[in-house]
Amino acid sequence: MEAVIVAGGLGTRLLPLTESRPKHLLPVAGVPLVVHQLAKLAAAGIDRVVLATSYRADMFKPVLGDGQQWGIDLVYIKETEPLGTGGAIRNAASELGSAAGEPVVVLNGDILSGHDLQGQVDSFRAAAADVSLHLVELPDPRAFGCVPTDETGRVMAFIEKSQSPVSSQINAGCYVFRRDIIDRIPVGEVVSVERQTFPELLLSGCRLMGHLDDAYWIDIGTPPALCRASADVVLGVAASPAYRSAPAEYWCANNACIDATASVVGGSSIGPHSAVADGAEVRRSVVFADVAVGSAAVVVDSVIGAGATIGVHAVLRECVLADGVVVPAGASPRPGSHLSHS
């Protein structure tokens, strides 16, 4: 069975972290986000994955290789210009070998989910669906597209972000397409699968089914979401086949160094070759590679880019640092600050 991961987005909401890398390679519990997805697909029996890239496409293969470490065949396809979610799926179709009636799994590249993917494929087959959509219920769905269904689970409509949602069910970004349905998407055009493809399929009488699952799910579209997702994996709140360490207060790369008097808690992760000095505190934060956290510095709910330096007694709360940024000793940037070289 085959899958497509849509990984072409610019990651604008994650700036300045995405100035130098695609968001799909940002570390979540020390593992690139897309690796969590590849491991999930492999665990569900997928044996071939097409990675649909665009922004900084050349950075993926050196990290991911040919997929053999997950027991899959990983192939790459690049959009010469961004085509939207639907356009990216259609562009990837040229690399698919599945027969017309076979299921193809499609994942949005910025989602971390513990939902039962094999169960979604099974329900897709049982319902003789054209498309299956993973749905989750949120207490406040206003920031997402709502997907109301009838009593059988059949999708009735797609309603993009609204201040008065008609349903608490939202599109969670994992789909199962019948292979020939993908070919209905126009070739070489900018297409939104959420705003165009799915509504058009509904109007044409296609059978779209919702697969409601209450397992862990998060859209890693912002730095706070990245912090939360990473911490949840480290703490054991979220399970991922790509993360094999036992639940703990922190994850630390083998070649990183944490002083015995430092406090690293809350599901924080400390990347390769990074150092946390004496008396420093790191809480619920993601620290990339080659970072130096100075003595008695405080880092809370923050994301620290590769090669950054945090001076002694500096205090960072809900901050985001681009790669290589230096925070002077004793500095205390306003909470929520995004610090870059510009």
Side-chain angles (χ1 to χ4, degrees):
M1 192 161 59
E2 295 181 300
V4 174
I5 298 177
V6 179
L10 297 176
T12 305
R13 292 181 296 161
L14 283 157
L15 287 170
L17 301 171
T18 48
E19 287 176 347
S20 54
R21 62 182 68 78
K23 62 182 175 180
H24 317 89
L25 293 180
L26 294 174
V28 174
V31 178
L33 170 57
V34 70
V35 171
H36 290 282
Q37 297 188 319
L38 290 169
K40 179 183 180 70
L41 291 169
I46 305 295
D47 49 29
R48 189 167 186 274
V49 178
V50 180
L51 189 64
T53 65
S54 178
Y55 176 66
R56 295 195 175 272
D58 59 334
M59 297 187 71
F60 287 95
K61 193 166 187 178
V63 175
L64 306 176
D66 61 5
Q68 290 307 300
Q69 60 181 302
W70 303 286
I72 60 174
D73 178 22
L74 179 60
V75 296
Y76 301 83
I77 189 165
K78 178 183 177 181
E79 302 166 33
T80 54
E81 56 185 56
L83 296 172
T85 49
I89 296 167
R90 184 65 181 89
N91 189 56
S94 63
E95 293 291 340
L96 295 174
S98 299
E102 289 300 305
V104 175
V105 174
V106 177
L107 287 181
N108 283 351
D110 50 6
I111 299 299
L112 183 68
S113 171
H115 92 285
D116 180 5
L117 179 54
Q118 183 61 61
Q120 184 179 357
V121 174
D122 290 344
S123 65
F124 167 87
R125 293 185 189 274
D130 294 306
V131 182
S132 166
L133 295 90
H134 172 212
L135 306 179
V136 297
E137 287 190 300
L138 296 182
D140 183 2
R142 288 177 296 177
F144 300 91
C146 289
V147 185
T149 55
D150 67 14
E151 64 277 3
T152 69
R154 188 162 184 169
V155 174
M156 305 302 293
F158 289 88
I159 303 168
E160 273 305 303
K161 302 176 182 67
S162 166
Q163 290 304 303
S164 302
V166 299
S167 171
S168 59
Q169 296 179 165
I170 65 113
N171 173 11
C174 176
Y175 319 116
V176 184
F177 277 82
R178 206 178 72 217
R179 170 65 186 87
D180 56 308
I181 294 295
I182 293 176
D183 289 337
R184 297 193 184 189
I185 302 172
V187 177
E189 296 183 16
V190 178
V191 179
S192 166
V193 73
E194 302 88 355
R195 293 179 174 84
Q196 295 168 257
T197 304
F198 291 148
E200 288 169 4
L201 290 175
L202 270 186
L203 286 173
S204 70
C206 285
R207 187 173 181 80
L208 277 62
M209 300 297 295
H211 181 81
L212 189 62
D213 191 312
D214 62 0
Y216 182 92
W217 177 87
I218 189 170
D219 171 4
I220 306 178
T222 63
L226 177 65
C227 278
R228 178 184 160 194
S230 185
D232 285 347
V233 173
V234 172
L235 293 169
V237 175
S240 168
Y243 185 80
R244 302 184 182 278
S245 300
E249 281 296 313
Y250 68 89
W251 173 86
C252 177
N254 292 334
N255 51 14
C257 178
I258 300 176
D259 188 87
T261 63
S263 173
V264 181
V265 295
S268 295
S269 58
I270 309 297
H273 304 291
S274 289
V276 182
D278 58 292
E281 177 185 356
V282 180
R283 228 184 318 143
R284 295 186 302 273
S285 295
V286 178
V287 176
F288 289 18
D290 303 303
V291 170
V293 180
S295 300
V298 176
V299 180
V300 180
D301 296 325
S302 297
V303 187
I304 312 301
T309 300
I310 300 170
V312 299
H313 295 284
V315 177
L316 300 176
R317 299 184 185 277
E318 300 175 13
C319 290
V320 182
L321 269 60
D323 294 355
V325 166
V326 176
V327 178
S332 182
R334 177 176 53 82
S337 295
H338 289 205
L339 307 178
S340 64
H341 298 284
S342 56

